[in-house]
Amino acid sequence: MAVGRNSSILQPKPLGILISTPEQKTFFIAQFILRFLAIIFTVTSISVMVTSRQSVKIFGFNIEARFYYSSANKFLVGVEAVVCAFSVLTLVLVLYYLLRRGGFQPRSYFFLFMHDMVMMLLMISGCVAATSIGYVGRYGEEHMYWQPVCNHVGRFCNKILEAPAYRGSFVGSTDFWTFVTEYIPTILKLDWN
């Protein structure tokens, strides 16, 4: 039996991606890249925070600085772990909707918008809490007579405050802010009927 030109064996099978306009293609590429970057920055920040510690002797006492001695830093690591896990989940869901379901429905855009809004607010709250305690650790609080501790454990403070730990958190929250602002024009253009 001869195989004809219209045989299904020779026809390429589409993946199911319905990206018909350049705007949809840009939206998909931005979603993928920004979600992947958010995952990278949160994992980097978590790893820097968890591995940072320093021991010093002051007046014969051994003083150790670790991230989990501060509730604000523990909150930041917890928030980043949640955001990272949900970023992986939504990256998988975005790929699933585009490859198998044939694109996004208006309801999917709205749920992703709400998800990214919550993740952005979580990241900002974790960043603000950790940055405020980092500021007190570095400069102290003169009116409360809290002395700075970073002059004693400088390597620890520099690793957390000036390295990717806090910067990765801020970049991650900026990624989610970009998601939120990316959705607004898309949601406004949708036909909800």
Side-chain angles (χ1 to χ4, degrees):
M1 180 170 155
V3 177
R5 285 171 50 217
N6 292 332
S7 174
S8 63
I9 295 173
L10 299 176
Q11 297 293 327
K13 295 183 179 180
L15 289 174
I17 301 175
L18 294 178
I19 302 177
S20 58
T21 65
E23 184 178 273
Q24 288 175 336
K25 184 177 181 180
T26 303
F27 182 78
F28 170 69
I29 292 170
Q31 285 286 315
F32 183 79
I33 290 172
L34 289 174
R35 287 190 193 283
F36 185 73
L37 285 175
I39 293 166
I40 295 297
F41 284 120
T42 53
V43 167
T44 302
S45 180
I46 289 171
S47 64
V48 169
M49 289 289 282
V50 170
T51 59
S52 62
R53 64 175 165 250
Q54 182 180 2
S55 296
V56 294
K57 283 196 180 259
I58 300 176
F59 302 119
F61 295 104
N62 191 23
I63 297 175
E64 188 173 29
R66 292 180 178 239
F67 87 96
Y68 57 82
Y69 292 161
S70 166
S71 60
N73 287 334
K74 286 193 289 189
F75 177 66
L76 177 64
V77 170
V79 162
E80 288 176 338
V82 168
V83 168
C84 184
F86 277 102
S87 294
V88 169
L89 178 68
T90 55
L91 182 63
V92 169
L93 286 175
V94 164
L95 291 174
Y96 171 75
Y97 272 101
L98 288 170
L99 295 176
R100 297 287 176 228
R101 303 281 307 262
F104 281 97
Q105 303 300 320
R107 192 173 65 166
S108 301
Y109 281 111
F110 180 73
F111 285 134
L112 278 174
F113 171 75
M114 293 306 292
H115 167 269
D116 291 338
M117 178 74 78
V118 170
M119 293 299 114
M120 178 189 70
L121 293 174
L122 273 174
M123 283 294 288
I124 289 173
S125 66
C127 290
V128 167
T131 303
S132 65
I133 202 66
Y135 180 86
V136 171
R138 168 129 342 186
Y139 300 109
E141 183 57 54
E142 190 175 309
H143 300 293
M144 299 292 290
Y145 300 105
W146 293 344
Q147 298 300 314
V149 295
C150 283
N151 52 359
H152 301 293
V153 285
R155 191 182 65 204
F156 172 78
C157 286
N158 290 337
K159 187 173 182 181
I160 287 182
L161 294 174
E162 296 175 3
Y166 285 178
R167 291 183 185 169
S169 301
F170 281 111
V171 171
S173 62
T174 304
D175 278 349
F176 282 99
W177 178 80
T178 306
F179 285 144
V180 169
T181 57
E182 180 183 40
Y183 282 119
I184 293 172
T186 305
I187 288 176
L188 292 176
K189 290 179 188 176
L190 292 175
D191 181 20
W192 291 84
N193 295 325

